[in-house]
Amino acid sequence: MEDPIEQRLRELMQGNQAEDCESVDDARMERVLHRVHVRSGVFDLLGLFANWGWVISEGGSRGLRHARPARRGTSASSDSSNNQST
């Protein structure tokens, strides 16, 4: 599978140079592509950890809301039911 960005970068770097420098250009191209791939991988990992941290923080904050059990009935509704029965 050919990467269009990589292909375009190779075309730009080759330009109008002579073919005797081809091995030097290939080595330089490999270094450039290696840096690009490493940087994009680092940014992908940072984005992954940022999203993961957001999910954990949202889950934690929503979980803290329900840390103690809440009563289903309120005191006003229980008082009105007691008043009707007497």
Side-chain angles (χ1 to χ4, degrees), residues 57-69:
S57 67
E58 283 294 311
S61 67
R62 291 183 185 185
L64 286 176
R65 290 183 206 157
H66 304 290
R68 288 184 285 156

Side-chain angles (χ1 to χ4, degrees), residues 39-59:
R39 288 180 184 167
S40 66
V42 167
F43 286 127
D44 287 343
L45 282 175
L46 288 175
L48 176 71
F49 286 127
N51 290 336
W52 180 74
W54 179 80
V55 168
I56 295 297
S57 67
E58 283 294 311

Side-chain angles (χ1 to χ4, degrees), residues 2-18 25-26 28-29 32-33:
E2 189 68 28
D3 186 13
I5 296 173
E6 182 178 337
Q7 184 179 9
R8 178 70 178 141
L9 186 59
R10 284 185 192 274
E11 290 171 3
L12 289 173
M13 288 186 69
Q14 287 176 354
N16 295 328
Q17 297 174 355
D25 289 340
D26 285 342
R28 186 173 71 182
M29 176 64 69
V32 168
L33 290 175

Side-chain angles (χ1 to χ4, degrees), residues 70-74 77:
R71 293 183 180 210
R72 292 188 183 264
T74 61
S77 64

Side-chain angles (χ1 to χ4, degrees), residues 21-39:
C21 298
E22 200 168 304
S23 63
V24 174
D25 289 340
D26 285 342
R28 186 173 71 182
M29 176 64 69
E30 292 301 321
R31 286 193 311 268
V32 168
L33 290 175
H34 178 72
R35 286 183 194 153
V36 169
H37 289 142
V38 167
R39 288 180 184 167

